[in-house]
């Protein structure tokens, strides 16, 4: 019988056989200015996880601190001050240790899953951070990544992606960061397929998992994920990204073909320079999340968003009403509103802001919460901020109506806050009504906008007969496609001579806008020669009314040439009547429901006034 080892001998054998290699120490001071990330394609393409935008950027910066010569995952050491700056948190506040603990905890508790072991049905699940230590005495923080990440980050020889993290620094969407990573990992395959005359195809359901998007509606995925990523990638990175519908099951989009073209090396280098310059300017901008005392340290990169009028607000602020209110106040530019609005209108704005802050993080019915924030609310609000460079114009546009009608009506309701909330969501969805670029003093804009409950139908994918990008191949084909949905015999019977003249020009402008490609303004909206922003808007109108006849009839009546041009030409403040007309038609085509329903409401209002009935009762 073999002699049994003693406990001491066994312990000695284990220590000898399993002695861990000495771990490299990566300090922020030594490696903090490295920006090149190397990740396996498997980690990029198959890993499913849910990190916020700032957390994604933080992890990419940590990965960038790995050197190609490293043989083991390093142990990361940095000061708490450096860590907080990377997280976009004020390192000078009184609760810095709580902030560190919170950020590390959120990242450490985010599971990573679906790393498939090739040739098997096995799925690996792990967490980014394996171990962390916070030393209050020395002010140091130590992080150790999960050892399961080693084959995906260390000594990569094949099937890996190299990218410069600087390109994603100014991205405002968490989806844009993931789409950029995916594009970089698939770029070689795309170029190989292109040479062979084959497309690179992405499955939509798989893409939703890869970018952690819960939406299943194609219109939402296209607008929020793909179009947003396209606008943030193209012209700002080292690649050009585009996509097109490749395969449908009935009317549901299930696959897209993608293009991932490299840009010229000189242009890519210039984009890096522009981003670095922008980051430097942001550090000096008033209202930033932290006061960088090391402003001359070029190795310090800000991963947090900048609190200023034109920047969007993360979903996570839905959980922090007081902080969300402060952010909305910044976007509203209250110092300007105080000069422009009356006391009662300012009070109405404060009521609106309080309602927005208190309701943005509450779960109601089927609304979706992302990072604790109402998805519908934050996307609508951030679209206004993105398109209008803040919320100032929107608040200025709605203040008067809330004083006169919305708030007084809310007071009569059983649930006044819910009524206000619904009104705010509707008005954000129809923000173009209240953010017109024309001077508010123009007589043409002094008419009251009648409140109506606009119900914008989601794109009905079951409707087969719709406007499609191919319709925009030529001006003639686009005009014919529009006329397909207009009952011109009905218009011939209803319209006056002046209204018929207006109809001809409105149809001409609609054809133009459906094909318009103005650089920067229409960036990310083109599919072939079609401007999808206008096609999608008109398709919603077709889905709701069954045709475009109600829209074109309404526009022809509003812009009746027998009355419209006389009124415009008498107004000395309007210097370019044709440009005004074109601008108004553009806004109307983008918001067809508001045009049709407001005209209906005006007609009903006139009728109610004649009979002595309060028009507000129509909407109770």
């Amino acid at each position: 019988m073999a002699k049994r080892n003693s406990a001491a001998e066994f312990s000695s054998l284990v220590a000898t056989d399993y002695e861990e290699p000495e771990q490299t120490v990566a300090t922020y001071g030594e490696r903090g200015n490295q920006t090149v990330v190397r990740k396996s394609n498997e980690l990029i393409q198959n890993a499913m996880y849910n990190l916020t935008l700032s957390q994604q950027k933080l992890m990419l910066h940590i990965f960038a601190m790995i050197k190609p010569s490293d043989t083991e995952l390093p142990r990361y050491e940095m000061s708490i001050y450096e860590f907080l700056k990377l997280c976009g948190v004020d390192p000078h506040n009184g609760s810095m240790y709580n902030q560190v603990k919170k950020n590390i905890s959120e990242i450490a508790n985010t599971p990573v899953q679906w790393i498939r072991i090739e040739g098997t049905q096995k799925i690996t699940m792990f967490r980014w951070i394996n171990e962390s230590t916070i030393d209050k005495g020395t002010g140091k923080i130590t992080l150790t990544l999960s050892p399961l990440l080693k084959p995906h980050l260390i000594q990569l020889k094949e099937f890996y992606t190299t990218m410069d993290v600087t390109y994603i620094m100014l991205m405002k969407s968490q989806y844009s960061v993931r789409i950029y990573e995916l594009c970089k990992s698939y770029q070689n395959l795309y170029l190989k397929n292109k040479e062979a005359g084959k497309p690179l195809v992405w499955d939509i359901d798989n893409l939703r998992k890869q970018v952690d998007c819960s939406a299943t509606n194609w219109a939402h995925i296209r607008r929020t994920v793909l179009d947003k990523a396209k606008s943030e990638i193209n012209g700002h990175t080292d690649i050009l990204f585009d996509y097109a519908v490749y395969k449908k099951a009935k009317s549901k989009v299930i696959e897209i073909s993608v293009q991932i073209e490299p840009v010229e090396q000189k242009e890519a280098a210039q984009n890096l320079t522009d981003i670095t310059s922008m980051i430097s300017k942001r550090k000096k901008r008033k209202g930033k999340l932290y006061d960088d005392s090391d402003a001359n340290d070029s190795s310090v990169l800000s991963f947090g968003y900048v609190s200023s009028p034109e920047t969007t607000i993360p979903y996570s602020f839905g959980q922090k009403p007081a902080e969300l209110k402060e952010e909305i106040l910044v976007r509203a530019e209250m110092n300007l509103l105080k000069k422009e609005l009356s006391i009662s209108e300012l009070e109405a704005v404060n009521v609106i802001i309080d309602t927005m802050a208190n309701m943005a993080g509450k779960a109601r019915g089927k609304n979706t919460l992302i990072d604790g924030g109402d998805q519908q609310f934050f996307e609508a609000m951030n679209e206004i901020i993105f398109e209008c460079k803040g919320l100032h114009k929107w608040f200025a546009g709605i203040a008067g109506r809330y004083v006169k009608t919305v708030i007084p009506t809310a007071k009569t309701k059983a649930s006044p806050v819910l009524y206000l909330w619904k009104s705010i969501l509707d008005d954000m969805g129809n923000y173009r009504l209240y953010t017109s670029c024309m001077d508010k003093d123009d007589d043409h804009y002094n008419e009251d906008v009648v409140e109506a409950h606009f119900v914008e139908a989601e794109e009905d994918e079951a409707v087969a007969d719709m406007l499609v990008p191919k319709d925009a191949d030529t001006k003639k084909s686009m005009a014919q496609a529009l006329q397909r949905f207009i009952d011109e015999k009905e218009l011939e019977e209803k319209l006056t001579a002046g209204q018929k003249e207006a109809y001809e020009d409105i149809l001409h402008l609609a054809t133009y806008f459906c094909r318009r490609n103005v650089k920067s303004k229409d960036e990310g909206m083109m599919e072939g020669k079609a401007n999808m922003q206008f096609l999608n808007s008109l398709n919603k109108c077709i889905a709701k009314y069954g045709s475009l006849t109600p829209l074109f009839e309404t526009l022809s009546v509003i812009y009746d040439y027998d009355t419209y041009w006389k009124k415009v030409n008498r107004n000395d403040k309007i210097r370019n009547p044709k440009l005004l007309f074109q601008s108004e038609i553009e806004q109307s085509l983008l918001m067809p429901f508001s045009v049709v329903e407001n005209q209906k409401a005006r007609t009903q209002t006139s009728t109610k006034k004649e009979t002595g009935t309060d028009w507000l009762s129509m909407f109770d």
Side-chain angles (χ1 to χ4, degrees):
M1 181 179 288
K3 183 181 177 183
R4 193 178 289 180
N5 290 323
S6 67
E9 290 172 328
F10 182 77
S11 177
S12 176
L13 286 170
V14 171
T16 302
D17 293 344
Y18 295 90
E19 185 176 353
E20 293 186 1
E22 186 177 346
Q23 194 170 24
T24 306
V25 177
T27 64
Y28 183 85
E30 177 197 0
R31 301 188 179 186
N33 62 348
Q34 294 178 190
T35 59
V36 176
V37 173
R38 297 169 185 81
K39 296 172 70 174
S40 73
N41 290 344
E42 187 178 11
L43 180 60
I44 295 173
Q45 297 170 7
N46 295 335
M48 311 295 175
Y49 53 86
N50 178 19
L51 291 179
T52 65
L53 176 63
S54 59
Q55 288 169 354
Q56 284 188 64
K57 292 178 179 180
L58 172 64
M59 291 308 301
L60 283 172
H61 187 74
I62 288 176
F63 294 157
M65 291 170 68
I66 297 173
K67 290 183 175 182
S69 58
D70 287 340
T71 56
E72 297 293 331
L73 280 173
R75 185 176 74 248
Y76 298 91
E77 288 186 359
M78 62 188 78
S79 71
I80 291 174
Y81 180 84
E82 291 163 342
F83 181 83
L84 285 171
K85 284 195 294 186
L86 288 178
C87 295
V89 176
D90 181 0
H92 302 292
N93 67 28
S95 58
M96 64 163 59
Y97 294 104
N98 291 334
Q99 291 286 353
V100 169
K101 187 176 179 182
K102 177 177 179 293
N103 277 278
I104 292 176
S105 177
E106 287 179 356
I107 296 172
N109 290 324
T110 298
V112 185
Q113 55 182 330
W114 294 64
I115 298 290
R116 298 180 182 275
I117 299 175
E118 193 173 354
T120 74
Q121 294 298 311
K122 295 179 181 179
I123 296 173
T124 303
M125 298 182 67
F126 60 94
R127 300 185 188 277
W128 297 108
I129 297 176
N130 189 52
E131 185 180 345
S132 63
T133 303
I134 304 172
D135 189 335
K136 292 184 180 181
T138 62
K140 294 285 185 182
I141 179 171
T142 303
L143 296 176
T144 305
L145 297 178
S146 168
L148 290 174
L149 283 169
K150 179 181 175 180
H152 301 290
L153 299 172
I154 299 295
Q155 293 289 304
L156 299 173
K157 302 298 182 185
E158 59 180 1
F159 306 121
Y160 70 94
T161 296
T162 300
M163 56 187 169
D164 195 315
V165 72
T166 309
Y167 286 121
I168 57 93
M169 299 293 285
L170 298 183
M171 290 181 182
K172 299 177 182 178
S173 167
Q174 66 191 73
Y175 301 131
S176 297
V177 176
R178 291 290 286 131
I179 291 290
Y180 176 72
E181 283 192 289
L182 288 169
C183 285
K184 291 293 290 182
S185 71
Y186 282 113
Q187 188 173 11
N188 286 338
L189 178 59
Y190 163 76
L191 294 173
K192 186 184 294 185
N193 283 10
K194 181 182 177 181
E195 191 175 337
K198 298 178 182 178
L200 175 62
V201 177
W202 285 357
D203 178 85
I204 291 297
D205 283 339
N206 188 52
L207 180 65
R208 285 176 49 244
K209 295 175 184 176
Q210 288 174 314
V211 302
D212 191 47
C213 176
S214 59
T216 57
N217 179 276
W218 164 244
H220 177 90
I221 295 169
R222 186 197 68 239
R223 182 173 58 252
T224 308
V225 179
L226 295 169
D227 286 348
K228 182 67 174 176
K230 186 176 171 182
S231 68
E232 293 197 319
I233 290 172
N234 294 351
H236 307 289
T237 66
D238 55 345
I239 60 171
L240 291 173
F241 165 65
D242 204 354
Y243 69 93
V245 174
Y246 183 76
K247 185 177 180 181
K248 289 185 176 182
K250 294 183 179 178
S251 59
K252 183 180 178 182
V253 177
I254 58 174
E255 289 180 350
I256 58 173
S257 60
V258 297
Q259 297 177 22
I260 312 165
E261 298 288 350
V263 303
E264 295 291 335
Q265 189 173 356
K266 186 176 179 181
E267 182 182 346
Q270 184 59 50
N271 287 338
L272 281 178
T273 302
D274 292 343
I275 294 171
T276 304
S277 175
M278 182 66 71
I279 292 169
S280 179
K281 289 178 182 177
R282 285 189 169 191
K283 288 179 186 177
K284 299 172 185 177
R285 188 181 295 175
K286 210 170 182 180
K288 55 184 179 289
L289 286 182
Y290 64 83
D291 180 17
D292 187 359
S293 59
D294 298 322
N296 296 322
D297 183 0
S298 60
S299 68
V300 178
L301 301 175
S302 168
F303 283 78
Y305 79 102
V306 177
S307 180
S308 61
E310 68 272 18
T311 53
T312 54
I313 305 175
Y315 294 106
S316 58
F317 276 82
Q319 297 176 310
K320 301 168 281 189
E323 293 181 29
L324 176 58
K325 180 178 178 179
E326 291 301 316
E327 292 298 321
I328 295 174
L329 287 170
V330 171
R331 309 310 187 281
E333 297 179 90
M334 295 300 290
N335 58 325
L336 297 180
L337 290 179
K338 287 176 183 177
K339 298 176 183 178
E340 300 167 355
L341 304 181
S342 66
I343 294 175
S344 58
E345 287 172 337
L346 276 174
E347 290 176 352
V349 169
N350 284 318
V351 170
I352 296 167
I353 292 174
D354 285 338
T355 304
M356 292 167 72
N358 291 323
M359 299 293 286
K362 294 184 179 179
R364 295 171 310 283
K366 296 182 180 180
N367 70 323
T368 303
L369 294 182
I370 299 178
D371 287 347
D374 185 310
Q375 180 181 1
Q376 179 190 4
F377 167 74
F378 276 94
E379 288 180 359
M381 177 179 63
N382 284 329
E383 182 177 355
I384 300 174
I385 293 171
F386 184 77
E387 294 292 338
C388 304
K389 308 301 180 187
L391 295 172
H392 171 255
K393 286 184 179 180
W394 182 71
F395 278 117
I398 66 171
R401 194 167 66 82
Y402 274 70
V403 170
K404 293 177 183 177
T405 60
V406 180
I407 293 177
T409 304
K411 292 178 180 178
T412 67
K413 302 294 183 181
S415 301
V417 175
L418 288 177
Y419 177 83
L420 274 178
W421 178 246
K422 184 181 183 304
S423 299
I424 291 168
L425 290 177
D426 286 345
D427 288 338
M428 285 197 299
N430 295 289
Y431 71 90
R432 289 187 180 88
L433 279 175
Y434 313 106
T435 57
S436 172
C437 60
M438 301 304 297
D439 190 334
K440 289 199 300 181
D441 292 331
D442 286 354
D443 291 344
H444 190 74
Y445 287 93
N446 284 342
E447 298 175 10
D448 289 335
V449 177
V450 179
E451 180 184 15
H453 290 305
F454 308 128
V455 181
E456 289 205 10
E458 285 293 330
E459 288 184 348
D460 186 355
E461 296 177 345
V463 179
D465 197 12
M466 290 281 184
L467 296 169
V468 295
K470 196 173 186 307
D471 291 330
D473 285 350
T474 65
K475 292 179 182 178
K476 184 178 180 180
S477 65
M478 190 69 251
Q480 290 174 342
L482 291 171
Q483 289 172 308
R484 212 169 63 232
F485 298 97
I486 301 171
D487 189 341
E488 294 193 326
K489 289 184 179 179
E490 181 181 339
L491 296 184
E492 180 69 23
E493 295 172 1
K494 288 184 176 182
L495 301 182
T496 65
Q499 291 166 356
K500 289 174 185 176
E501 287 182 53
Y503 165 71
E504 294 297 329
D505 279 354
I506 292 166
L507 179 62
H508 175 76
L509 281 174
T511 302
Y512 163 73
F513 283 119
C514 287
R515 303 180 76 249
R516 182 189 63 177
N517 183 4
V518 179
K519 227 173 183 182
S520 76
K521 186 172 184 179
D522 299 321
E523 187 177 355
M525 295 296 178
M526 301 304 296
E527 187 169 325
K529 292 187 177 180
N531 190 311
M532 297 309 297
Q533 186 179 17
F534 289 88
L535 258 64
N536 291 335
S537 178
L538 293 175
N539 278 336
K540 288 181 181 180
C541 188
I542 294 168
K544 182 175 176 64
Y545 300 113
S547 75
L548 293 174
T549 305
L551 173 63
F552 280 82
E553 180 185 349
T554 300
L555 290 173
S556 300
V557 171
I558 293 173
Y559 299 100
D560 186 341
Y561 276 12
D562 288 339
T563 57
Y564 175 79
W565 291 108
K566 292 178 183 178
K567 180 179 178 181
V568 171
N569 287 325
R570 284 197 303 265
N571 191 335
D572 294 333
K573 295 178 181 178
I574 300 175
R575 296 182 179 179
N576 192 333
K578 289 185 178 179
L579 183 61
L580 169 65
F581 176 70
Q582 179 175 318
S583 175
E584 291 181 329
I585 297 302
E586 177 184 9
Q587 296 295 324
S588 300
L589 294 174
L590 290 173
M591 305 195 69
F593 302 146
S594 62
V595 173
V596 176
E597 299 300 331
N598 261 303
Q599 185 65 15
K600 286 181 182 178
R602 287 181 191 280
T603 304
Q604 292 171 349
T605 298
S606 177
T607 304
K608 294 292 182 180
K609 283 182 178 178
E610 290 174 4
T611 59
T613 305
D614 182 5
W615 69 270
L616 275 173
S617 61
M618 291 189 297
F619 304 107
D620 285 343

